Amino acid sequence: MFPYFAQPQIGLGPITIRAFGLLVAGAVLIGTKIVTRRAGAQGVPQQAIGSFLSWLLIGGFAGAHLVDRLVYFPAGTLADPVSILRFWEGLSSFGGFVGGSVGAILFLGRRAAPGSVWTYIDSFAYAFPFAWVLGRAGCFVAYDPPGRPTTFVLGQLYKDEIVRHNLGLDEGIYSVFIAMLFHFLGRRPRFPGFFLGLFMVLYAPFRFGADFLRIVDVRYHGLTPGQYGCIALAFGGAIL
């Protein structure tokens, strides 16, 4: 098992820099570099790629926070409505998917050149698993979310002195395998929507099962919001 450790952080006066934030920033940088390279190789101007990613990231972070507050923790939000404005507190991965999708659709519908829509989408979908590895590494060091007790070799001692699944670690390791597969498959051209559909059908079953191990998520009719999102991802990915 892994021993328990508090999330590494550095205090710089009134500012506290946490490992989670640094790893998420690294994920954004790596993802941006890969998207820029792949889309640029297909003729998309770098400025247009930057605008696309800006719309997607702003929508993604806004959606991640709003879904966390309104869907995962509605009672806490009612008790503290101002928490909606504290965008640095609480993020939902599926909220990020939804918000990022809205931002991407708004950009692509208004600014993408004719015939370039799938170039943007495929470039981002290809890059996503590589960035997701670092994002989930951030969840690992923050021990977010903690899971049920386990004897699994990758279990980690939690602050309650119980060895639990660190679901950020589990998903991060799974994401490494997806990234390796994408690296191999990305060596040759693929049909439009290939990498988006493949990620959806690979990610959905793993996340659906892993959510049963969560101990803090709200559930609606026995399933977490993420599990309902996984059902949608599986169907959408199968269609693509």
Side-chain angles (χ1 to χ4, degrees):
M1 72 171 186
F2 288 89
Y4 176 78
F5 57 88
Q7 178 182 177
Q9 60 185 39
I10 301 174
L12 299 175
I15 301 175
T16 299
I17 300 176
R18 294 179 172 84
F20 174 83
L22 289 176
L23 287 165
V24 169
V28 172
L29 291 175
I30 287 177
T32 297
K33 183 175 181 179
I34 296 174
V35 173
T36 301
R37 185 183 70 230
R38 288 185 68 88
Q42 299 181 61
V44 180
Q46 186 169 348
Q47 183 177 359
I49 299 169
S51 297
F52 167 68
L53 291 174
S54 296
W55 281 69
L56 192 149
L57 289 170
I58 291 171
F61 280 108
H65 179 68
L66 292 175
V67 169
D68 178 83
R69 292 289 87 203
L70 300 176
V71 179
Y72 279 90
F73 300 102
T77 304
L78 285 174
D80 182 18
V82 180
S83 65
I84 293 179
L85 302 178
R86 296 195 292 267
F87 275 84
W88 59 91
E89 293 182 7
L91 297 173
S92 157
S93 56
F94 267 94
F97 293 165
V98 173
S101 297
V102 171
I105 290 170
L106 290 174
F107 172 87
L108 295 173
R110 298 178 179 183
R111 302 191 180 187
S116 67
V117 169
W118 278 109
T119 300
Y120 285 100
I121 295 173
D122 284 341
S123 298
F124 179 80
Y126 173 84
F128 188 79
F130 299 91
W132 201 238
V133 171
L134 275 186
R136 282 314 192 192
C139 295
F140 162 52
V141 299
Y143 212 135
D144 181 31
R148 295 184 179 181
T150 182
T151 57
F152 185 45
V153 66
L154 295 179
Q156 183 178 5
L157 189 68
Y158 193 50
K159 55 189 176 183
D160 60 4
E161 299 297 323
I162 297 175
V163 178
R164 298 182 177 276
H165 284 281
N166 185 325
L167 296 172
L169 172 63
D170 296 345
E171 190 170 317
I173 292 173
Y174 183 65
S175 299
V176 169
F177 289 103
I178 297 179
M180 292 171 61
L181 177 63
F182 274 37
H183 175 70
F184 174 76
L185 295 175
R187 295 178 178 178
R188 53 184 289 188
R190 302 289 172 177
F191 62 81
F194 176 82
F195 286 108
L196 178 61
L198 183 60
F199 178 79
M200 292 164 76
V201 298
L202 290 177
Y203 180 75
F206 178 90
R207 175 63 186 272
F208 187 88
D211 267 27
F212 284 114
L213 300 175
R214 294 187 173 218
I215 59 173
V216 296
D217 278 4
V218 64
R219 283 174 166 74
Y220 300 95
H221 302 290
L223 298 179
T224 68
Q227 288 175 315
Y228 287 107
C230 286
I231 294 171
L233 280 186
F235 277 107
I239 292 171
L240 284 175

